[in-house]
Amino acid sequence: TSPLEGAHLQIVGTAFTTFTDARGEYVIRFDPKLLQRCRTQYVQVSAPGHRPELLILVIGRKIRSDDVLMRRR
């Protein structure tokens, strides 16, 4: 599989969103107060022509998430 540019990611239940770059990489900037409730967040990943996927993100310093396999509709 190849990286998917322009996929939309949003922390579920918040307004914090971002898009993947040409390498399929992303950075989500968010309010650190969100971590007071839970260090694990759910991220909805969507892209045109693909089924949405849910990513479980454990937040910390320089944490990298697993790859998300996007399936075509």
Side-chain angles (χ1 to χ4, degrees):
T1 61
S2 58
L4 183 59
E5 181 177 6
H8 179 254
L9 295 95
Q10 179 174 9
I11 298 176
V12 174
T14 75
F16 302 110
T17 66
T18 193
F19 291 90
T20 57
D21 63 17
R23 295 180 308 223
E25 297 180 1
Y26 65 92
V27 173
I28 296 181
R29 302 202 190 287
F30 58 91
D31 185 344
K33 291 178 185 174
L34 183 65
L35 300 179
Q36 292 174 350
R37 288 181 277 154
C38 183
R39 295 191 66 78
T40 301
Q41 298 295 320
Y42 293 94
V43 178
Q44 183 72 39
V45 183
S46 58
H50 294 79
R51 289 187 283 178
E53 295 289 336
L54 193 63
L55 170 67
I56 299 172
L57 185 63
V58 179
I59 300 173
R61 289 186 168 243
K62 297 195 178 195
I63 297 294
R64 293 186 59 90
S65 68
D66 291 332
D67 288 344
V68 176
L69 178 60
M70 301 294 292
R71 295 179 178 89
R72 295 209 177 266
R73 291 183 189 189

